[in-house]
Amino acid sequence: MKLKFKGILVLFLALIAQLTFAQERAVSGTVSDNTGMPLPGVSVLVKGTKTGTQTDFDGKYTIKASSNQVLIFSYIGMKTQEVAATSSTVNVKLKDDSVELEGVVVTALGIKKEEKKLGYAVSKVSADEITKSGEQNVLQALAGKAAGVQIIGSGGTPGASSKIIIRGTNTITGTSDPLIVVDGIPIDNSTTQTSAGDNPFNANLSGINNSNRALDINPDDIESVTILKGPAAAALYGARAGNGVIIYTTKKGKNGKGLGIDYNNSLAIDKVSQLPARQNKYVQGNYDKAGVPQYASNTPQSWGPSAASLGLPTYDNPRNFFQEGITQTNNISIYGGDDKATFRASYGNVTQTGMIPETGLKRNTLRLSGDLKLSEKWKAGASMQYTHTTTTLAQNGSNASGVMLGLMRSPINYDLRNYKDEFGNNTNYFSGYDNPYFTVNENQATSDVNRVLGNIYLTYNHAKWLSLTAKGGIDTYSDARKQIYAVSSNGDDLGGIGEVAYNSITNKDYYGDLIASGLIPLNSESIKINYTAGLNLRSNQYLDIFSRGKGLSVPGVYNLGNATQLYASNVEENTISRALFAQVDFDIKDQLFISGTIRKEWASTYGDNVKSAVFPSGTASWIASNTFDWGNFVKFSYGYGEVGIAPAAYRTKSFYSKPSMTDGFTNGLSFPYNGINGMALAGRLSNPDLKPERVLGHDLGLSTKFLNNRLAIDVNLYYKTSKDLLIDVPLPQSSGFAAQYKNAAELVNKGIEVEIGYDIFKKSNPFQWNVNLNWAKNENEVTDISGGLPEISIETAFASIGYYAVKGQPLGSFYGTKWKRDENGQKIIGSNGLAVVADEVGNLGNSAPKWTGGIRNTFSYKRITLSALLDIRHGGEVYNGTLARMHSIGVSEASADRERTYVIDGVKEDGTPNDKAITAQQYYQKYLGDGGGAAEEAVETVNWVRLRDATISYDLNVKQFPFVTAAQISLTGRNLWINTNYKGVDPETSLTGAGSRINGLDYFNNPGSKSFIMSLRVSF
């Protein structure tokens, strides 16, 4: 009995000891991120208790827990993870909370899919890459980061527009802009030029470079970006997706402990990146009949004597004029939630002063979003964004008030800072130009935008086979613009009488979807079938009101009541579309994935004889590595799809309008004339057979991962045919109409894209080096123009050079005057020693690059990360009209070499080598310049390698601050270095901006910028 009692006692004591040991056991380990890097400051909590700790600098932690308890690991920006404390060592890898790092991407209509199942190519850009760019425009922030995606900026001034072209241009007269989607709701990204109804010219060539409306999105609110590049990916968007789709997913609230607060602040210093080089020796003037340089005032020419010979002081006007731009950014967000609801509220503020004096940008963004789980079956959510954006813009381009026109033509002997006389009037070295200081101080142009973006959704999850979602969105903004031309200004062909103009733009977009989706129930483990079906409604209302007053009675009073000549015009458009769509996805043994979509769309801009259009797609992907033992991951994919571009509004009927006539130089004549109004049928004949342009695309892809996923290679081939392109086809004048807008052209884009990612070292290595490379080549050709036309003008450019679609040539060919050449291609030189201009204009090249590439290197060691992106462009032409005019008037750096004669390389008309010498002025004006030479001479083939961005960041040790979960300081350089053969401003430039179809024009464009950015990020 005693032995039995002793045995029971020993057992009882052992159990007590074991329980005691379990309660007091120390559990330790290391917490790292998805790449294996240690994470400091991770919260470690014993579930159901208040016992907790944080990881140290090396991601290590120690906590007391029993074997039957659970540890909760949470960190800002990472998915919370729960792990049972069954061992004394628990190591954890936390995954990033963004969908893209989970292998899930957001596709058309906001549908989330595993990337491995896609039968088409997408490119992804993370929030971190957007931040590193240092750009305030979320489109410009994508530059160099995705294969096949070309970004064309229009200058480094605040609010300058950015154009984006994906896999080449797909349309001739339509916009090349892709559809922009934010959280499943398409938004407006138009770039609208202010233009009076009586303006007979292309307003894009002069005036103000207005913003594209993607500027209203706060980059700090972006979580991830998905770029749907081909028709197979974008077919569910139908006639709005002809140029691809960019899907922005914003940051949301998170399920976690308490509130989270993120704050970041940055300060950027902007400087001019590159300017055309100027001579600093010779002053204003010209040669006399004896060929002797003479000083003269009130002339744009700088062919006078040297400043030293006259004892005149000299001034570096560009250096004196430009200043350092300052950009201050503040963002704060508060977020939180639980299993029932999550929310996020953010406020962002940007204040920017430009490199051009008196220019600037202010943007305030307030965003609220939330999701609520109403029950096990019902879920609702909504978001709202309000943005107030104000910009003060600079005059640009072919414009007597253009900042760069007056600045870069200025002689070295004139100090532009003396820009007003005692009466406040414009003073300048030449009376025909406005002084740049007068322009920025007196001729201000402003824009004041108020914008609201909102969406709401309600989801009912009945079962796996049926989920219903209703969602609606609104995008509405007003843009109040004001342009002043002070008394004595030469702007707007005024003759100094003064002007004030107002432009009020209002745009409203309403969008709604009703979507049913689910997993079709099958008694099969090897086949899964998902479906999506629904309907879509969209309505757009656009109103543009322009009013102008000329002849200001009292200088400095900018009110229509102060004007003697009043004018008003307006443009109003209302369009509507509706569509039915469906998608079916087949998953066969997690190896073969087949998907098909169809969209049938009705739109008010379609002709009465057409009414609707159908857009199908079909894709297939095979994960060969799931079938055979081929590396870590090998996938082959193919996709075919059709998308469209809708016709312009109000082209199905003929309307009356006010006729006008111009000589090409003045504003011409129009009604009302002498107080009498007049109307006539517009010159464009109606067309009841209008249908959307169609882009038919094939995609063939290979995606691989090797070396334990350290090496990833994606290769994609594509072939797109754009059919039924809408152009104005000329008609016989006897018909009473000049042209008819009809589906009458075709073009082809084909290309290859390569994306490579490689982790040089294994994840376990404390030093990490990651390389990401992208490379793309696109070939474009206009294959047909109806009616036997050899070419058509895409958009009016200059008299010396145009922008054309030419059959058999790439879209966007420059057409202009060329040198006359012999059968060997040598220039023919006339008896006067000058090259002879050919009688007919010819193709001068194309603005599209031959290929583009990007290389990002990222280095990290413990708390330090260094990242740099090289952006590469090879080929493509730019018309450097700026340099041609600077040559002509003698202010270019090269024209300083004028104390000798020149012999142009070429042959005489008899075939012998040219030996006829000409003066320096003749050489620079009539050969290299625009004083009678060929436009061909001003067209440059452009290459560049630029350091798009470089960032070094340091994660601070915040362990001693329990209320701080993370902190980071960083230094970023944007466009700090560029190696280019281009002789003008930064070659990433576009005179006509994102609202134009023309690329590659440089005619006194505002310069690009380079920036130094200091940032601080703190999370609580």
Side-chain angles (χ1 to χ4, degrees):
M1 186 69 181
K2 286 185 178 181
L3 288 174
K4 188 175 181 180
F5 175 77
K6 287 181 179 180
I8 293 173
L9 182 60
V10 169
L11 258 163
F12 178 74
L13 291 174
L15 181 62
I16 293 293
Q18 186 174 358
L19 289 172
T20 304
F21 175 78
Q23 289 172 352
E24 297 180 352
R25 180 171 59 107
V27 178
S28 60
T30 302
V31 182
S32 59
D33 64 12
N34 196 54
T35 67
M37 292 298 295
L39 283 175
V42 176
S43 172
V44 185
L45 181 70
V46 178
K47 189 173 184 179
T49 73
K50 295 183 179 181
T51 303
T53 186
Q54 283 189 337
T55 56
D56 63 13
F57 175 83
D58 297 313
K60 299 183 181 298
Y61 74 95
T62 300
I63 194 170
K64 290 183 178 180
S66 64
S67 59
N68 61 348
Q69 289 183 308
V70 174
L71 301 181
I72 302 175
F73 298 85
S74 59
Y75 189 73
I76 298 298
M78 300 286 182
K79 281 190 173 295
T80 299
Q81 190 168 335
E82 296 185 5
V83 181
T86 54
S87 172
S88 60
T89 301
V90 177
N91 297 322
V92 175
K93 273 191 176 183
L94 295 182
K95 295 182 179 180
D96 195 289
D97 200 28
S98 67
V99 295
E100 48 150 13
L101 292 181
E102 291 282 306
V104 175
V105 294
V106 180
T107 63
L109 299 178
I111 301 170
K112 294 181 180 179
K113 287 188 174 184
E114 292 182 70
E115 189 177 2
K116 69 178 183 179
K117 298 181 180 180
L118 299 180
Y120 47 78
V122 299
S123 286
K124 301 169 295 179
V125 180
S126 67
D128 186 52
E129 289 182 282
I130 297 291
T131 302
K132 286 175 182 175
S133 72
E135 299 283 359
Q136 292 302 325
N137 191 318
V138 293
L139 287 188
Q140 190 66 37
L142 300 177
K145 298 175 178 63
V149 179
Q150 181 189 4
I151 308 294
I152 304 172
S154 54
T157 54
S161 64
S162 293
K163 179 188 293 187
I164 182 167
I165 299 175
I166 300 175
R167 290 184 171 180
T169 304
N170 300 303
T171 180
I172 294 178
T173 58
T175 176
S176 63
D177 290 339
L179 179 65
I180 306 297
V181 178
V182 178
D183 291 337
I185 304 297
I187 69 166
D188 181 84
N189 180 44
S190 60
T191 308
T192 308
Q193 186 68 34
T194 295
S195 183
D198 61 349
N199 179 15
F201 303 120
N202 182 359
N204 291 309
L205 296 173
S206 61
I208 300 299
N209 192 320
N210 290 289
S211 306
N212 59 295
R213 292 270 55 92
L215 178 72
D216 302 324
I217 303 174
N218 181 7
D220 196 69
D221 285 331
I222 300 302
E223 179 69 41
S224 64
V225 184
T226 304
I227 304 174
L228 308 181
K229 295 188 280 191
L236 281 175
Y237 286 113
R240 302 188 71 192
N243 297 306
V245 182
I246 302 178
I247 299 174
Y248 289 92
T249 301
T250 63
K251 297 174 182 176
K252 301 293 191 298
K254 299 175 182 178
N255 181 0
K257 179 184 176 183
L259 291 178
I261 301 176
D262 288 344
Y263 171 75
N264 68 71
N265 170 274
S266 69
L267 175 67
I269 301 174
D270 301 324
K271 296 185 177 182
V272 172
S273 62
Q274 183 170 305
L275 289 171
R278 288 165 34 98
Q279 60 92 0
N280 58 4
K281 184 177 181 180
Y282 298 97
V283 300
Q284 194 174 13
N286 215 328
Y287 292 99
D288 61 17
K289 292 182 179 180
V292 179
Q294 301 292 323
Y295 171 74
S297 60
N298 197 27
T299 175
Q301 304 292 326
S302 286
W303 291 104
S306 67
S309 67
L310 299 177
L312 292 176
T314 61
Y315 305 94
D316 189 341
N317 285 310
R319 174 171 291 189
N320 293 339
F321 181 76
F322 291 109
Q323 62 185 19
E324 287 186 346
I326 302 295
T327 303
Q328 292 180 299
T329 305
N330 291 279
N331 287 286
I332 186 169
S333 61
I334 302 173
Y335 51 89
D338 53 24
D339 294 336
K340 297 289 186 181
T342 60
F343 76 94
R344 182 178 185 269
S346 67
Y347 169 73
N349 167 264
V350 176
T351 302
Q352 182 178 11
T353 58
M355 304 174 302
I356 295 177
E358 305 304 322
T359 61
L361 164 71
K362 291 184 179 180
R363 184 181 66 206
N364 290 277
T365 305
L366 178 65
R367 186 172 183 86
L368 304 171
S369 64
D371 296 281
L372 177 64
K373 187 177 180 181
L374 301 171
S375 68
E376 290 300 317
K377 293 185 179 293
W378 290 91
K379 185 178 181 180
S383 69
M384 187 280 292
Q385 174 182 311
Y386 168 72
T387 302
H388 183 211
T389 307
T390 60
T391 47
T392 303
L393 301 152
Q395 296 286 338
N396 183 50
S398 181
N399 179 357
S401 286
V403 167
M404 286 288 284
L405 186 144
L407 179 65
M408 300 310 295
R409 299 184 186 191
S410 64
I412 62 171
N413 59 283
Y414 190 92
D415 188 354
L416 287 173
R417 289 172 290 190
N418 300 318
Y419 69 93
K420 287 195 297 187
D421 61 18
E422 65 272 23
F423 304 106
N425 293 320
N426 172 48
T427 61
N428 204 6
Y429 60 90
F430 177 59
S431 59
Y433 305 155
D434 281 358
N435 189 306
Y437 289 94
F438 187 86
T439 290
V440 298
N441 286 283
E442 306 297 331
N443 294 345
Q444 286 198 345
T446 58
S447 169
D448 190 313
V449 175
N450 288 279
R451 187 172 191 177
V452 173
L453 299 173
N455 71 72
I456 187 170
Y457 76 88
L458 178 66
T459 297
Y460 172 68
N461 290 307
H462 177 71
K464 284 187 177 182
W465 61 270
L466 178 61
S467 176
L468 296 174
T469 298
K471 63 180 178 180
I474 184 173
D475 174 11
T476 178
Y477 66 84
S478 63
D479 186 354
R481 300 175 181 176
K482 184 178 182 180
Q483 170 68 69
I484 293 169
Y485 290 106
V487 171
S488 75
S489 170
N490 295 286
D492 206 23
D493 194 25
L494 288 171
I497 63 175
E499 175 183 298
V500 58
Y502 295 91
N503 188 198
S504 175
I505 298 173
T506 304
N507 190 78
K508 298 177 182 178
D509 260 312
Y510 302 95
Y511 183 90
D513 280 328
L514 178 61
I515 302 174
S517 60
L519 177 66
I520 295 177
L522 298 173
N523 293 324
S524 173
E525 294 295 327
S526 59
I527 299 178
K528 297 178 182 177
I529 304 176
N530 286 276
Y531 74 91
T532 302
L535 60 88
N536 164 249
L537 296 173
R538 174 182 176 262
S539 173
N540 173 254
Q541 302 169 11
Y542 175 83
L543 178 63
D544 184 331
I545 300 175
F546 177 87
S547 56
R548 179 186 67 213
K550 288 184 177 182
L552 302 181
S553 301
V554 181
V557 178
Y558 299 108
N559 187 285
L560 294 177
N562 188 40
T564 58
Q565 304 173 36
L566 297 177
Y567 173 84
S569 62
N570 73 289
V571 176
E572 185 174 359
E573 288 185 1
N574 296 293
T575 60
I576 190 170
S577 69
R578 60 191 187 277
L580 297 173
F581 55 84
Q583 174 174 295
V584 180
D585 300 313
F586 297 86
D587 178 343
I588 303 173
K589 295 185 176 180
D590 199 34
Q591 297 177 26
L592 181 62
F593 306 93
I594 300 173
S595 179
T597 74
I598 190 166
R599 178 183 176 103
K600 184 176 177 64
E601 182 172 301
W602 297 261
S604 60
T605 60
Y606 298 175
D608 294 338
N609 297 337
V610 176
K611 295 184 179 178
S612 67
V614 176
F615 303 96
S617 80
T619 65
S621 63
W622 171 42
I623 303 180
S625 53
N626 285 1
T627 307
F628 307 103
D629 187 15
W630 291 355
N632 300 111
F633 179 79
V634 178
K635 182 184 80 170
F636 299 93
S637 63
Y638 169 76
Y640 171 81
E642 298 182 16
V643 287
I645 299 173
Y650 307 131
R651 301 296 175 87
T652 62
K653 300 285 191 297
S654 294
F655 299 97
Y656 282 85
S657 64
K658 295 180 179 181
S660 63
M661 181 182 295
T662 180
D663 57 8
F665 294 95
T666 67
N667 287 338
L669 301 174
S670 64
F671 287 103
Y673 184 73
N674 282 341
I676 300 175
N677 204 359
M679 305 288 286
L681 275 172
R684 183 184 288 115
L685 177 64
S686 63
N687 187 352
D689 297 317
L690 283 181
K691 53 188 175 182
E693 301 179 343
R694 303 185 72 83
V695 184
L696 291 63
H698 301 265
D699 278 78
L700 186 64
L702 169 65
S703 298
T704 63
K705 291 182 181 180
F706 300 102
L707 303 177
N708 292 323
N709 295 326
R710 286 167 52 201
L711 175 63
I713 303 174
D714 290 331
V715 180
N716 290 281
L717 305 173
Y718 62 88
Y719 188 96
K720 296 187 297 180
T721 302
S722 297
K723 293 179 176 290
D724 299 325
L725 298 184
L726 291 157
I727 61 174
D728 282 316
V729 178
L731 295 176
Q733 291 293 336
S734 59
S735 67
F737 297 91
Q740 184 181 37
Y741 183 67
K742 61 190 301 185
N743 302 93
E746 182 177 307
L747 63 84
V748 166
N749 283 281
K750 56 184 178 182
I752 179 172
E753 298 168 347
V754 179
E755 293 185 342
I756 300 175
Y758 183 44
D759 296 325
I760 306 296
F761 303 109
K762 294 181 178 180
K763 301 295 185 184
S764 57
N765 195 308
F767 177 76
Q768 289 292 303
W769 177 9
N770 174 262
V771 180
N772 280 283
L773 178 148
N774 71 76
W775 180 88
K777 178 178 176 63
N778 181 79
E779 294 181 357
N780 175 287
E781 181 185 350
V782 178
T783 54
D784 184 50
I785 301 176
S786 180
L789 297 173
E791 75 272 335
I792 56 171
S793 175
I794 294 176
E795 185 178 324
T796 304
F798 296 118
S800 61
I801 192 167
Y803 204 67
Y804 283 80
V806 184
K807 186 175 180 179
Q809 297 292 329
L811 179 67
S813 296
F814 287 119
Y815 253 54
T817 52
K818 301 185 72 173
W819 298 120
K820 188 175 181 180
R821 299 175 185 269
D822 66 9
E823 61 274 10
N824 297 318
Q826 297 191 77
K827 298 184 184 78
I828 295 176
I829 311 301
S831 59
N832 58 1
L834 292 171
V836 178
V837 178
D839 294 332
E840 297 181 355
V841 297
N843 193 332
L844 307 181
N846 190 269
S847 61
K850 301 299 182 185
W851 57 263
T852 59
I855 304 173
R856 180 176 290 282
N857 282 275
T858 303
F859 307 91
S860 58
Y861 179 71
K862 293 188 176 180
R863 298 180 181 273
I864 300 175
T865 301
L866 172 64
S867 177
L869 173 63
L870 288 176
D871 184 12
I872 306 167
R873 163 177 165 152
H874 178 72
E877 272 63 46
V878 172
Y879 172 67
N880 194 347
T882 304
L883 185 59
R885 177 52 60 92
M886 290 175 65
H887 281 323
S888 186
I889 62 177
V891 296
S892 65
E893 182 181 55
S895 66
D897 187 11
R898 62 183 65 172
E899 305 291 337
R900 66 182 182 91
T901 59
Y902 288 82
V903 176
I904 299 175
D905 186 32
V907 296
K908 299 178 183 179
E909 294 188 13
D910 61 6
T912 60
N914 176 49
D915 57 2
K916 175 70 174 178
I918 58 175
T919 66
Q921 188 181 42
Q922 288 177 308
Y923 181 77
Y924 284 101
Q925 279 190 344
K926 298 183 178 181
Y927 177 61
L928 293 184
D930 58 2
E936 171 188 358
E937 198 64 34
V939 176
E940 298 184 35
T941 299
V942 174
N943 304 308
W944 78 52
V945 178
R946 71 172 71 229
L947 185 60
R948 176 67 68 176
D949 62 65
T951 300
I952 184 169
S953 61
Y954 178 73
D955 294 319
L956 300 172
N957 185 359
V958 297
K959 188 176 180 180
Q960 62 270 38
F961 304 106
F963 55 89
V964 179
T965 57
Q968 183 188 82
I969 56 173
S970 62
L971 296 175
T972 298
R974 185 184 60 81
N975 281 341
L976 294 185
W977 171 80
I978 178 173
N979 180 12
T980 180
N981 63 328
Y982 187 63
K983 304 180 186 69
V985 295
D986 187 327
E988 185 183 65
T989 188
S990 173
L991 168 64
T992 52
S996 166
R997 293 179 290 274
I998 303 177
N999 302 319
L1001 285 185
D1002 180 1
Y1003 194 78
F1004 296 98
N1005 297 10
N1006 292 331
S1009 64
K1010 57 184 177 182
S1011 306
F1012 303 86
I1013 307 167
M1014 299 158 284
S1015 302
L1016 170 66
R1017 291 179 173 272
V1018 183
S1019 297
F1020 302 92

